[in-house]
Structure formats: structure tokens, C-alpha cells
Amino acid sequence: MTSANASYQFPPDFMWGVASAAYQIEGGVKEGGRGDSTWDVFCRGKGNIRTGESGDIACDHFHRYRDDVKLMASLGVKHYRFSIAWSRVIPDGNGAVNDEGVDFYSRLIDCLGEHGITPHATLFHWDSPQALQEQYNGFCSPRWATDFARYAGLMAKRLGDRVSSWLTINEIACFTQWGHYYGNSPQGLNAPGMKVADQRAIHQTVVHTMLGHGLAVQALRANSAQPCKVGFVHNEGMSVPISETPANIHAARKRFSECCNVLAFHPLMTGALPEWWVKQATANGTMPQVSAAELKIMGEPIDWLGHNVYTGTYVRAADNAQGYEDVPVPAGYPASTINWLILNPDALYWQVRFATEVFNFTKPHLITENGYPGTDEFTATGEIMDLERIWFMRSYLRQVHRLIEEGFPVLGYFYWTMLDNFEWLYGYSKRFGMIHVNFETQERTPKASAHWYAETIRQNRLV
């Protein structure tokens, strides 16, 4: 007799979804009154994108969204996480609303509704309006926070009658800490032209962005036509105990607490900063300007926490000042076609568990991204047998199931991503999709993983 655990059955209301980002799939960058984003300008810089490409056309989702939603529905997907391009709906970032841009998202949302798919709208997925960069250097100014909150309120007014699930910020470390360290370079992610002077200035961009998050949470709730739920999407930089001994678990938890983008995550979860971090930042001159009132806004209560999980770092207890050390992976360790994505399914489990334990967080969790870049070659019969992606998804979803079995409230899983798309610095050379896109013809071809995911959704268990 097969036990419930062995069959990996999921709760009846588990949310099976897919995720995307506007600049990576939409195209139509000069259509419908859309203004430039920082990524439009960044892609035009010679050498910034390793393949010399851009998101000007991407998956042409701007024109093909109806067919893409039908594809989504054919897989049985009932939840779709997408992002709104700020520069499409408010071209200069803080001026007049572009009705044509809002209408695109309105039509997309209506189309999702026609197919029984729940929209989950992300307000910021790295594509800040270029106009704000030119007006006041974007995240370097506190004006970004108030402009972002205004944008959030306007979207709630215009779309909140049909969208009740919102996400504010996606992966803050990528465009604040990393972006402002590298600036306008191929390592700069989403901060072209914004290399700043020192670590204190980098920390200040985190403060401004988190203030924007807190003010946006308030604006969404104040302006939505219906009760809504608001979340934050984080990529904590996961610590995984090399073995589940008390000493190694303690070491990994300590590393998580100290290395999970403290300036963003601690205020988000507690409305404050840990004393040890303030003392350290003050001593080394990196403490940003932030008041207790601002920290409280940064900690505006959220309804759920989103986790983007791809990989993790193995950790063990050590006899040193930190009490832990990272464990390097050997050359033959399983990896992907991207050098930073080594396979570590346990990272998903520990990311949710540590976020819960370190911060006593009792609200629900969503796995808002989890995906694999494969080689995706066609067979002689015209199929893409991406077995490594199926193995990846099955391995990570086992960890989702473990969390649920242990009582952690994980509501859903959003695979990254349905369509192959513009993968930021890698252009079109890295394919995360379950559906292959021919970027010359825009033909869509479901891969083996798409069929596997559809059957998993249909049976509501790992198959």
C-alpha cells in the first residue's frame, strides 16, 4: 500500500503556476506609448549583453498574449505571476498615466480570467523607467520610493477590481547591492549608469527601495477596489546544512540570519535592524540614513512571502569567529548551463524553514520562482526531451512537499518560466522555459517538461 507521502500528493487548493517578467517576454518596446526603461538603454550599450541582443521583441507577448494564455491553460496552470512594466503605464515614471499601456494589462487580466487563471501582478521586476534615472539617479534618491508608491496606488485603482494578489519588489539585492556595486557594466544587472561611490551609498539605495515597498503596500491596500493580499519576493542567498545535525543546522541558520541581505530582510520582517549590524555598519562607516519611522514603514505587514529559489550554499559548523564556514562544491558536482546554478534542491526547504524560524514568520509562503536552464535540443522526431528539467522540478517539488508535510504553510509553486525568453545578461542563449520559443519565427513548442508539469497539475501530485 502506497503512503500519502510516497505518492507526493499536494493539498487540494495548492496553487500550480508559472512566472514571467515584462521586459523578458513582452517586446513592443516602442508601441502603445511605452517609455524607455533602464534595461532598454542598458541593452543598447555595446558589450553589455553578452550576445548583443535586447528585449525589443523578446517573445512578442505584447501581441501574442492571447495565444500564450491559451497555452498556459492547456497545461492546466491556474495561477500566473507576471510583472507590469512601469514605463509602459507611466512612461516618465511620475507623470501622466498612459491609458494604452494600462489597457494592455487590463486585456491580459481579462484574458486570464476567461481561462480561469488567477493573476498575480509584480509591480517591479528590474525595469525602472529611464526617466527616473535621468531625473534623480533612480534608487539613489528617496524620490524613487514616493514615485513607486504613487505608481502602485494607480495600478490598484485601475486594475485592482480584478487583481487581488500583488507583489511589490522582485529580488532587491540584484538591482541595489550588486547593481550599484558594478554600475554600467555587463555585471551591473539592473543599475546601468548607477555605480556609486561606496558601500554606504549602496546601502542607501536599499533603504530607498524598501521604503518604496512599504509605501506601496499601503497604497495598494488603500486604493484597491477589493480586499487584496500583498507580498514581497526575495532571494535570500540560501544556506544549506551539509548534514542535518544540530550543529550544522545551527551554523546554517546563523549564516542565513547574517547573510540574507540584512538591510532589506530584517526591516521587512521586523520593522527594525539587528543591533549587531547597526554597530558594525556604524563602526565601518557604511550605515545609511534611516529613521525608526522609516524602518517601521519598511516593515509594513505583508500577507505572504515569496521565495525565488534556484541554488544554495552548503554550510557546516566551524571553530572560527563566525561559527560556520561555506563548503566548496567539487568540479564534478551537478550543475546547469549557467555557472551560478548548481543543483541544490534542499535550498528550497531551508529557505522557507529559516525564514520562518529566524523571524518567527507565521504568514504563508509562495515559491515564486524555481527553474532550470537546459540545453533543449530537438530530437530527430522534433521533440525536446528536457529530462534534466523534469528531474530538477521533481527534486525541488519534493522539498515543497516536505515543507507542507511538516506544517509550513506553502500555498503554491510558480515555475520559472513558461516560455524561453530574454535572459538578461545572457540574451537568448539560456533557456528556462517549459515551452521552446523560436525567436526568429516566434513558434512555440512544448517540451517534455511541459507535458510532465501538466500531468503533475492534473493529478495534483508528483508523477
Side-chain angles (χ1 to χ4, degrees), residues 207-230:
V207 170
H208 297 155
T209 307
M210 288 305 300
L211 276 173
H213 155 76
L215 292 171
V217 174
Q218 296 173 357
L220 288 166
R221 290 177 175 148
N223 290 281
S224 178
Q226 60 177 322
C228 64
K229 294 186 181 297
V230 186

Side-chain angles (χ1 to χ4, degrees), residues 1 3 30 92 119-120 126 137 151 274 284 289 341 343 345 407 417:
M1 182 175 179
S3 70
K30 294 295 184 182
D92 65 0
H120 301 263
W126 299 8
N137 287 331
Y151 154 58
N284 62 26
Q289 287 187 323
L341 204 170
L343 305 187
T417 178

Side-chain angles (χ1 to χ4, degrees), residues 289-307:
Q289 287 187 323
V290 58
S291 67
E294 289 171 330
L295 286 168
K296 184 177 180 181
I297 293 171
M298 293 159 69
E300 185 72 26
I302 54 177
D303 297 295
W304 46 265
L305 180 62
H307 302 268

